[in-house]
Amino acid sequence: MIPMRLSSCCFITNSPIILRPSRTSAPRTLNLPLDRRRHISAYGYTQAKALVYPKHGSPTDVLNLHTHSLSPPHSNLVTLRTLAAPLNPADINQIQGTYPTAPPFSQELGTAQPSAVPGNEACFEVLSAGSACKSVSKGDWVIPRQTGLGTWRTHLQVTEDRVMKIDKDGLNAEQAATISVNPVTAYRMLKDFTPLKEGDWFIQNGANSGVGRAAVQFGKMWDLKSICVVRKREGAESEALHKELQELGATVVVNDEEIMEKGFGERVKEWTNGGREPLNLALNCVGGDAGMALAKTLGAGGTMVTYGAMSKSPLRVGAGMLIFKDLRFTGFWVSKWADRFPEERKKTIDEVLGLIRDGKFKDVPMVEVPWSYETKKEELLDAVQGTLEGFRKGKGMFKFGDT
C-alpha cells in the first residue's frame, strides 16, 4: 500500500504509526541570544507588555498590565525594546490627573477601553527600523524626543522623529534613561535666569533629589557655592546624607527646620562673608513657607526659580520683597523649554553625557525594579507605590531583562 501523507510530521500506513518530528518545526528564535528569544514570534511580530490606565486615579487602582503584539515596522516606524525607565513623581501625577500634560487615551494597543501608557523617560534599543528610517538603525540607543511617549512598557513602536539617538559608548542604560529631565533642569536653571560668576552662591531645597544633586555637581564644576536644604532626618541617616552631598560639592547642608528658624539669616551672612559674596539665585521645588524661607535669604535683585511644588502650598510673596528687595519670582518647566529649544536641549544632553563618560558627573542613587516577561503586575505596582513614599533610598528604575 502506498503511504498517504497526513501532515509534515507523520504518515499513515499498514505498519505501526511512526512519529517523526519535522526538520523545520523548531522555533526560529532558538539561535537568538537569550534576551531576544521571547519577544520575536515566528512571523516577526514582537510580543510586548505595558502598564496602562483607562482613567485617572490612584496608580494601584487604575494601572493594569496589558499584553499585545507589534507588527514588523514599515516606512518610518521603529520597533524599540525598553532597557531602563525611571519612575518620576511627574509620572505619578499624570496617572492621578494632576499634571498639566498627559499621554493620550487610545485603543492602539488593543485594550478593551481607551487607555494611556505612563512614563516620560527611558532608554531604548532599536530592534528594527522601517525602510524609510534615516536617523536610526538596528542596535542604536535612543531616548524620547519629547515627554508623553509612554515608557513603562517592554516594547513600543513609534515614528523615528519621536526619538533621539544617543552615543551609547561609555554609558549604561540607567544613565541614558535619566539624562533628559533632572540634569537638564538643573543645568538650565543655573545658566539661564541670573548671571553667576565664580564664587557666587545659590540656595536650593530638595537638595538630595535628582535635580538637587545635579545642581550641586554643576555648581562645583563652575566654582559656585551652594546652601543645600534637605528634609530633617535623625542620627546616622542625617549625617550620612549631609556627608554625601558635601562630597558631591555642596558648600553647606542644612535641614528644613533650620531654615525656618529666626536666626537663619544671620547664619547665611556668616557663610557669605558678611553678605559680601552674592546670593542671588534660589531653586525651589517645595513651595509654601519653605519656599519663601529660601526667598528671604536672597540679596537685592535676586531671583527665585520654582520648578516643583511638593508641599502643594502656594507661595505668599510679601510686598516688601518686591518693592524694597526687587526680587524676581519665576518658574521653569523643562518640558516646555525643550519644546521651544530642541537644539539647545540636545546640546545640553550631549554635554552632560560627556561629563558622565569622563567620570565628572555621578548618577542619582537608584532602586532597581526588575521587569521580565514573567514579572507580575503586583510587583510593578508595588514599585510605583513606593515612588509616593518619603525618605526613599533612591529613584525607582524599571530595569528590563528577558522581555
Side-chain angles (χ1 to χ4, degrees):
M1 178 177 178
I2 299 174
M4 179 175 66
R5 179 116 183 183
L6 179 65
S7 72
S8 62
C9 62
C10 64
F11 293 88
I12 294 180
T13 70
N14 290 331
S15 304
I17 294 176
I18 301 174
L19 297 178
R20 294 186 176 90
S22 168
R23 293 181 184 274
T24 61
S25 63
R28 297 181 184 179
T29 58
L30 283 180
N31 293 326
L32 293 173
L34 179 62
D35 65 350
R36 297 292 191 277
R37 291 181 188 175
R38 189 184 301 279
H39 65 246
I40 301 177
S41 74
Y43 302 99
Y45 281 73
T46 300
Q47 306 305 308
K49 289 189 176 184
L51 283 173
V52 299
Y53 58 102
K55 60 181 180 180
H56 295 300
S58 170
T60 53
D61 293 336
V62 300
L63 284 176
N64 291 298
L65 188 59
H66 174 68
T67 302
H68 58 287
S69 296
L70 301 174
S71 61
H74 60 87
S75 186
N76 64 340
L77 292 174
V78 290
T79 299
L80 309 175
R81 182 172 80 96
T82 315
L83 301 177
L87 293 80
N88 293 313
D91 303 328
I92 306 300
N93 295 152
Q94 286 184 331
I95 298 169
Q96 295 168 330
T98 59
Y99 202 70
T101 63
F105 289 85
S106 75
Q107 290 181 283
E108 289 182 0
L109 303 185
T111 52
Q113 305 174 60
S115 299
V117 180
N120 291 287
E121 284 189 289
C123 174
F124 308 103
E125 179 188 16
V126 177
L127 287 183
S128 52
S131 58
C133 290
K134 299 188 183 303
S135 62
V136 297
S137 57
K138 183 178 179 181
D140 287 343
W141 280 15
V142 297
I143 61 175
R145 193 172 290 277
Q146 295 176 313
T147 57
L149 189 62
T151 60
W152 292 2
R153 44 180 152 183
T154 62
H155 305 81
L156 69 159
Q157 191 173 89
V158 295
T159 53
E160 67 172 327
D161 62 349
R162 299 196 66 190
V163 293
M164 182 178 80
K165 178 181 174 180
I166 62 169
D167 180 0
K168 62 185 176 182
D169 289 345
L171 302 175
N172 61 48
E174 294 89 336
Q175 291 167 332
T178 54
I179 192 63
S180 63
V181 175
N182 291 338
V184 174
T185 296
Y187 188 107
R188 299 319 320 176
M189 289 194 299
L190 289 174
K191 286 286 190 182
D192 294 348
F193 289 91
T194 192
L196 297 175
K197 62 182 185 300
E198 292 181 8
D200 285 356
W201 289 76
F202 70 93
I203 187 170
Q204 64 168 340
N205 50 29
N208 61 316
S209 67
V211 173
R213 289 170 181 269
V216 165
Q217 294 181 76
F218 292 139
K220 182 180 180 181
M221 292 176 205
W222 303 333
D223 292 321
L224 303 176
K225 299 176 184 178
S226 57
I227 301 171
C228 295
V229 184
V230 298
R231 280 186 295 176
K232 185 178 180 181
R233 291 161 170 78
E234 301 297 333
E237 184 182 4
S238 175
E239 293 177 11
L241 178 59
H242 284 222
K243 182 180 178 182
E244 182 184 359
L245 291 176
Q246 287 168 342
E247 288 175 349
L248 282 179
T251 311
V252 177
V253 182
V254 296
N255 67 51
D256 55 353
E257 292 185 7
E258 291 178 87
I259 196 173
M260 302 299 292
E261 293 172 355
K262 191 172 182 180
F264 187 74
E266 291 302 313
R267 295 175 65 187
V268 172
K269 271 191 176 182
E270 291 179 18
W271 297 327
T272 59
N273 192 21
R276 288 184 288 274
E277 297 174 4
L279 171 53
N280 286 331
L281 180 65
L283 310 179
N284 168 47
C285 67
V286 178
D289 293 339
M292 293 314 302
L294 290 189
K296 290 176 182 178
T297 69
L298 290 172
T303 299
M304 184 161 85
V305 184
T306 294
Y307 67 98
M310 292 170 58
S311 71
K312 298 182 180 179
S313 298
L315 294 170
R316 296 180 175 87
V317 181
M321 289 186 172
L322 302 175
I323 299 170
F324 305 118
K325 291 188 74 175
D326 192 25
L327 297 186
R328 291 163 177 79
F329 293 82
T330 188
F332 182 71
W333 184 20
V334 71
S335 299
K336 185 176 181 179
W337 174 87
D339 290 344
R340 291 182 62 194
F341 305 104
E343 291 303 316
E344 197 65 28
R345 174 183 184 261
K346 186 179 186 306
K347 288 180 183 177
T348 306
I349 288 174
D350 287 342
E351 182 175 341
V352 179
L353 289 177
L355 294 171
I356 293 173
R357 292 188 188 94
D358 293 341
K360 297 179 180 178
F361 188 89
K362 293 185 178 180
D363 306 337
V364 65
M366 298 179 192
V367 177
E368 187 176 299
V369 182
W371 186 338
S372 69
Y373 192 84
E374 305 299 335
T375 302
K376 305 298 182 186
K377 175 181 110 172
E378 291 73 22
E379 298 174 52
L380 302 177
L381 295 194
D382 284 346
V384 174
Q385 185 64 29
T387 305
L388 300 172
E389 298 171 0
F391 300 123
R392 292 173 290 139
K393 294 181 179 179
K395 177 183 287 294
M397 176 70 65
F398 287 132
K399 183 68 180 297
F400 296 81
D402 179 16
T403 53

